[in-house]
Structure formats: C-alpha cells, structure tokens
DNA sequence: AACGAAACGATCAGAAACGATCGGGAGCGA
DNA sequence: TCGCTCCCGATCGTTTCTGATCGTTTCGTT
C-alpha cells in the first residue's frame, strides 16, 4: 500500500486536522509520503470545499458558521407582512415533528406565524381541521391529507377548490385527479428505497428483502423503489420476501415479525429494508430473541431515521429531509400568497439521504 | 482460473472494494487478469448503478451521509459574495432567451454574474462550452445538455462528476443513470399537453390531433401528455393523426404540413395541438392557403408561446414558464453553492399555463 | 528596521490514467 | 453457413496528477 489515491490523502488530512485541530504542512508531507507541492494542492482543494481553513504554514479546523445555516434560501419571491399559515399534520408523534419545525422556522423567518392542527390519517378529520384553520383566518395552508380511498380523492378535490392557497406536504394528487393545481413538496421515497438497496448490494448482498408497514401512505413508493432498484441491479426476486406488516403493537404484530424472520431464514435472505424505525427495531429485537446476530446474520436498513440512531445496534437508515421539506412547503405557501395568480404550480421533490451506522456491518456474510 | 464472466468480475471488484475501502485500477487488472480497458468498463458499469464511486486512479465505496452529525454545520462554506454562474443553453434564438433572462435576473439579484455560452443541441459542443466556462472560473453551472444517444448519457455522467455544482435546466438524467445526484428544474410538458387537450375538449372537440416537431427533446413528453389526456378523457384515438414533422423550413416541411392537413380533413379532426410556434404558424398558413378557416374549420393550440401572440389569428398556446424556470434554476445553483454537502438533491417541476387567444374559437364547429 | 528561513504561487515536464475508436473473436438466431 | 450482436483487447490522442524548479511573499528573529 505504497501510493495512495487522492481521496485517501484527503481523508487522512481531514482525520489529522480533526485530531489535532491544526496541522503543519511538513507533518502532512511526512504522513502522506508525497511532496510538499502535492500536499499543498490537496489542502487547497479541501479549503475550496470549506472543509479546512488554510493558514500560513498549515491548516486548521473551519470556524463553524452560524448554528443555523442562514435564513432559508428563499427559492421564491417576497411574502406579505405577517402571514398566518395553517398546517394540518396527520401526526405529531412520529415523522412529522421535524417537518412541523421546518415549516415553523421558515414561517417565523418570514415574519409570520404557523398555526398547527393535528389530525390522524383520516380524511374526515383532516377536513374538519382545515375548516377550523380557515375559521381561524389562516391565509394559506400546509396540508398532508389522507389520500386513501374515495374519501381521499374527495378531500383532495375539496382542497383544490379552496380559495386560500394550499400546499401539499409529502402528498401528491392521485392519478384520478391529474389536473388538481396544487403546489406540493414531497420526498422521493422510491429513490430512498433505492439508496438502501444499493448500499446493501455494495456490501455484497444479492437477496434483499423488504418489509413495509401496512397502512403507511409511503409504502407504495418504497415498494416501487425497492422493485426498480432490485431489477435494475439484476438481483433476484424469486423467494425473496417482500412483506407488509400490520401496525406496530397490534395483536398480529409479533406473528408478522416472526414470519418476516422465518421467510428470511428459509429464503437465504440476510438483508432487509424495513419501513419505519419502529418496525425495524421490532425486527432487530425478534432476531436477537431467536439467536440471530445483527448484522452478521441479518443486515437491516431502516426507513425514516426518527429513532434509528438509538437502537441497539444503531440502525443504518434512510433519512427523509423532513426539516427541509417543512421549510420548503412553507416557502412555497408564502410565495404563492405573494403571487397567487401568475405563479405556476410548483412541485418540489427532495431526495432522502442514507445514514450509515452499524446494522449492516461492512461486508456481507458468506453469501 | 480461466476467463470470468462479467458478473463474476463485478462480484470480485465489489469484494475488493469492500475489503479495502479503495482499490486502484492496476490492482484490479492483476486481480481479474483482464486488460485495463475492460476493468474500466466494468467499473463504469458498477458506478452507473451506484454501487461504487469512481475516482481518478481507482474506485471507492459510495460515500453517504456522515453517521454522526459532527461539528454543527461544519461544512456550510462561506457563500461566495459575488458568485460567478455559468450557463450553457442549447439555443439563444428560440425558447431559451426567456430562460436565460430569468437566470440572469436571479443571479443579479443575488449580487452575482451570469456567464452564458450558447451551444446547439450537440453533446460534444455542450461539453466544450462547459469546459470554457470552467476555465473561465465559474463556481456553479446551469446546463441544458443534449441527452440523446450514447453521447448524451456520457455527457450526463461527466456532468455528474464535476466538482462545481451543476443544475440541469429542462432536462433530467436518463433512466440508465438513476443515481446521478444533480439538482434540476424542469417544466412538466406532459401536463402542458394535457392542458391543451382539455381546453379543446371543453370547447366540444372530441377528435384532437397532435403534431410534434421531430428533433425536439420535449416531443416525447408532449406526446405522452397528449396520450394520457386523450385516454383519461375517453376521447377517440382511432384515425386521429399524431404526426412528427421535420424541422421548419426543411425541404420536406411543406409536404409534411400538407399531410397534417390532409389527415385532419380525412379523419374528421378539427382540433390539433401543434408543438412549437413555428410549426403551428405553418399549419395556420397552409390551412388558410387551402381555404380552411381557423378556428371554424380547424382549431389550433400551439406549444411554447414564443411568438404565438403575433400570429394571425393569434394562437392559443401552452406557455412554459421559461423566465421563472431560469430563475429557479439559478436559485437552486446558488443555494447549492452555499451548502454543497448537506443539502439534498432538489428536483423542481413547474407546470405550464394555457394562454387563450383566438385560434380555437369559443366552441367547436358542428362536429 | 533588517535579515534569513520557511512557505507560497506559478510554471514546466514526465508519468499515469483516461476516453474514443477500431478490430477480432465467440455466441446466437435465421 | 451467414450475418448479427456482444464482449474484449489494442492503440492513440488527450487529460489529469505529481514532482521539480524558481522567483516572490510571509514570518520570526535579531
């Protein structure tokens, strides 16, 4: 391992500067075993990306900028003076708090106020909450409505007919209503599932299972992303489990998780993408109960990354950018408020990221 | 150790990169016992699928988000005060001037400067223009590259590997490269075509034809939107012309337009969506030459709305929001510049609008 | 304030890696 | 058997990376 790639040198430089705070250039020359001019070039490249700060004779850590990275880079125009923004979230316990905070931040930055109403994945209740907010006098609405069934379609139609601007959050109009001209900010969960599948494939897994939670609105997109990734990577489908499990804690829950593990064992599947942290943690626990070791016997990627970091072992997880999504939705609403007529429909899609922790190990077992 | 199949080599490459984190290309040549060019091909294939990352001299594991959010926002580089933004547009004569002006406005509003290079729907020239801009020292790039054929894929791959942020304008990565993590701002031309079809349907037309210009990158989307709108409205397809015409002014041009009108007459079609204003004006003129009256005998909706207002009669037209699109793309680029690492991929979709003028009348003739 | 050592930036040259193109051979179906 | 496609290797021109040199700037010491 004599010569090193440029990226390896960069990694070593960053590690050194993290360890010592400041590093002198000759030290790096010795550490990396390359000439001073090369080190200088590496350092310049890193400094260009803002990862280190050059000083005469060496480098230091960058001074952290303001704790909150600038007021939301307005993707949009100016807003009215003190807008009152309503928001209906289907839950305030899971996933949505970060979205709400993001929206809150953006609205506050614009000098407005966010009024929240919690609903519960039910079209009727969604509609009542919207009504309450309209009575309250909100000038624009952020809504994550229920989209299932006929009631969902009906609700969407109703939202599209409102006089105040409505922005959909993590929801899109159903294909039956292709012309509903609502702005929307959504996460591309299919890409997220693909991220997870690719990560597991890089680690050597070829048989990659899927577990989705039955009543989540995101299940379909995740399943679609899993399917396209598996097929575009030319991985096998046959026998690989792709299951739906009922709500965490429901009576059938334990049996369903057992079934997941049974199917994995019998189908020689040692890697699964599990939708929602709670379900993933359940799989983790049940696997341990049955004497399986994670990640050696079963690699798990979770989807959502709400509490994935706190599990044992910490779960590698796909992380939708919830805070940014909320902020984006609020900015869309404010921009629409400032320009209700001419402004065309905006649909913004954010990619999730993958956070690697320990639940997948570094290499597949003896596949 | 005879010859190995491609999949076996890929497996070995993945195993090597898992084991060491990074692998140099000559090492793989020795490991696999094949020539360097073959290894390079294998590596490119794996990188296209997102399983490894290519760097000069070898490959590394895909780098995902950091497991621990170390130093709060440690990498929010100082947003450059006077950013220099490069833009490559495929034309400066049609459609693109408004996009360019939009980008120019947004960049100027941020205190930066936009440097434009015109290309001509050619991958090679696109690449040369990008090169020029990089030499010029631009910090970020707005590009509307050619996406057709192998050269298009190659160009997109190259754009994805640039160190400066690149934002795609009116283009998306091809399905072969699902993991190219570039921001993009695009118009939903399928929705635009649907707008036109629905307008004509509202006026009483049921047999609605389509004319697209052969070499436009938007033709496919417009055709797809026309198809879904016609089928979702349960309008008839049989016998309704859906033609491609060659470039305006080319030798075959007149014949093609005549054919359009012939087919409309013989198929009892009195309404057409024509892609691109020039083509629509051509249809208008030829129809008048042949004694047809617009809109009484033939209702025409144009697509693009560049010069549609100035035709006789003024053309009802689908109008992509070009100015806004350019501004949006520039804002995406500037935001990415301020936060190159943490910021997730943004894909923004704008709907076109429909501008009603006189070329469709107020009601369908005696259909 | 002046001096010398160290660090820096710019430029040039050699080596390695890269992309594009052409040609040969194996496998497959007509 | 012919023709086709796909896969692999060789070659060539270009790009990128690395190290050496030289003149200039910066810093610390006197």
């Amino acid at each position: 391992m004599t010569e090193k790639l440029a990226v390896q040198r960069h990694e070593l430089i960053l590690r050194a500067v993290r360890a010592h705070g400041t590093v002198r250039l000759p030290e790096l020359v010795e550490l990396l075993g390359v000439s001073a001019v090369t080190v200088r070039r590496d350092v310049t490249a890193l400094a260009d990306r803002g990862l280190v700060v050059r000083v005469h004779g060496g480098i230091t850590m960058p001074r952290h900028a303001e704790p909150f990275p600038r007021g939301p880079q307005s993707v949009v125009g100016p807003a009215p003076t003190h807008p009152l923004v309503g928001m209906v979230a289907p839950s305030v316990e899971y996933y949505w708090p970060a979205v709400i905070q993001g929206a809150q931040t953006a609205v506050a930055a614009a000098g407005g106020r966010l009024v929240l109403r919690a609903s519960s994945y039910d079209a009727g209740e969604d509609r009542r909450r919207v009504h309450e907010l309209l009575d309250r006098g909100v000038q624009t609405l952020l809504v994550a409505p229920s989209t299932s069934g006929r009631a969902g379609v009906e609700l969407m139609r109703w939202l599209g007919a409102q006089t105040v601007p409505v922005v959909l959050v993590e929801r899109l109009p159903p294909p039956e209503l292709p012309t509903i001209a609502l702005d929307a900010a959504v996460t591309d969960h299919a890409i997220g599932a693909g991220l997870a599948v690719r990560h597991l494939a890089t680690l050597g897994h070829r048989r990659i299972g899927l577990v989705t939670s039955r009543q989540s609105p995101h299940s379909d997109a995740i399943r679609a992303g899993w399917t396209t990734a598996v097929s575009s990577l030319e991985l096998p489908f046959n026998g690989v489990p792709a299951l739906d499990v009922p709500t965490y804690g429901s009576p059938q829950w334990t049996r369903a998780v057992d079934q997941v593990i049974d199917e994995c064992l019998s189908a020689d599947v040692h890697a699964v993408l599990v939708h929602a942290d709670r379900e993933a943690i359940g799989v983790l626990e049940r696997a341990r109960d049955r004497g399986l070791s994670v990640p050696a016997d079963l690699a798990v990627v979770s989807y959502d990354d709400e509490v994935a970091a706190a599990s044992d072992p910490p779960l590698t997880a796909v992380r939708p950018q919830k805070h940014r999504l909320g902020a984006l939705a609020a900015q869309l609403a404010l921009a629409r408020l400032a320009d209700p007529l001419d402004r065309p429909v905006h649909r913004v899609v954010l990619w999730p990221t993958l956070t690697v922790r320990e639940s997948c190990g570094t290499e597949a077992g003896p596949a």
Side-chain angles (χ1 to χ4, degrees), chain A:
Chain A
M1 190 75 56
T2 57
E3 301 153 19
K4 296 177 186 61
L5 257 36
V7 285
Q8 293 177 293
R9 292 199 310 268
H10 291 184
E11 192 51 49
L12 287 172
I13 293 172
L14 284 177
R15 194 177 303 170
V17 76
R18 281 198 208 110
H20 303 104
T22 74
V23 192
R24 301 181 57 77
L25 203 128
E27 298 171 13
L28 290 177
V29 170
E30 189 177 358
L31 173 68
L32 302 175
V34 294
S35 73
V37 56
T38 300
V39 172
R40 217 167 272 133
R41 271 191 276 253
D42 289 341
V43 161
T44 313
L46 291 172
D48 284 349
R49 289 190 267 164
L51 298 174
V52 300
V53 172
R54 297 196 61 168
V55 295
H56 192 90
I59 54 177
T60 72
M61 297 275 284
R63 266 184 13 91
H64 298 162
E66 61 271 46
F68 239 54
R70 84 205 58 262
Q73 278 286 349
S74 142
V75 184
V76 290
T81 46
H82 296 295
L84 189 62
V85 180
M87 179 169 189
V88 177
S91 155
V92 290
E93 298 173 349
Y94 185 84
Y95 197 97
W96 292 93
V99 180
I100 295 164
Q101 285 165 25
Q104 159 67 29
T105 307
V107 171
R113 215 154 64 77
L114 184 76
V115 187
L116 178 70
R117 284 285 186 282
S119 184
S120 58
Y121 296 99
D122 173 76
E125 182 168 2
D126 290 342
R127 192 185 291 223
R128 283 195 297 280
R129 299 286 166 261
V130 170
H131 255 126
E132 292 170 16
L133 287 168
L134 292 173
D135 291 343
R136 184 74 195 283
V138 299
Q139 296 159 280
T140 181
L141 272 165
L142 276 32
V143 190
S146 162
T147 57
S148 59
R150 261 191 46 197
V153 174
E154 201 52 50
L155 175 60
M156 192 64 74
R157 207 186 324 255
W158 181 73
L159 287 171
Q162 294 305 307
T163 51
V164 304
V166 173
V167 174
L168 299 176
V169 186
E170 287 287 28
R171 303 282 188 272
L172 287 175
E176 300 95 304
L177 302 174
T179 58
I180 295 272
L182 291 178
D183 294 328
V186 300
T187 301
D188 192 332
H189 295 296
I191 286 278
L195 243 43
V197 170
R198 290 194 166 78
H199 178 61
L200 291 169
T202 302
L203 295 177
H205 296 282
R206 287 189 50 81
R207 302 174 68 76
I208 298 172
L210 173 71
V211 178
T212 53
S213 53
R214 189 160 296 160
Q215 71 333 355
S216 159
H218 301 158
S219 286
D220 290 347
I222 292 172
R223 183 170 296 259
W226 173 82
T227 305
T228 60
V230 166
S231 78
S232 97
L233 259 36
E234 294 171 12
L235 303 177
F237 277 106
N238 58 319
V240 172
L243 302 170
D244 243 15
V245 296
T247 317
Y248 175 84
S250 74
Q252 307 90 27
W253 163 251
T254 323
R255 267 200 45 226
V257 175
D258 260 329
Q259 189 196 348
V260 167
I261 295 185
D262 288 341
E263 291 214 17
C264 286
L265 287 179
S266 70
D268 192 31
V269 164
H270 302 279
V272 280
L273 165 61
V274 183
H275 178 208
D277 288 355
R278 288 191 288 223
E279 283 74 6
I281 292 175
V283 170
L284 235 53
E285 290 172 347
R286 199 73 194 96
R288 188 168 40 222
D289 289 350
R290 296 180 54 171
L292 270 54
S293 127
V294 173
D297 299 321
L298 186 65
V300 179
V301 179
S302 176
Y303 200 103
D304 273 358
D305 202 17
E306 279 286 297
V307 291
S311 75
D312 176 32
L315 277 161
T316 291
V318 178
R319 176 192 296 204
Q321 301 284 311
K322 311 175 199 98
H323 190 278
R324 283 181 190 268
L325 188 84
L328 203 42
Q331 286 165 0
L332 287 174
L334 295 171
R336 169 69 58 192
L337 208 50
D339 180 8
L341 266 55
D342 290 340
R343 187 178 162 83
V345 173
H346 282 54
R347 297 268 164 93
V348 187
V349 179
L350 257 43
W351 283 18
T353 57
L354 184 73
T355 303
V356 177
R357 298 200 182 87
E358 298 169 25
S359 63
C360 298
T362 55
E363 187 165 354

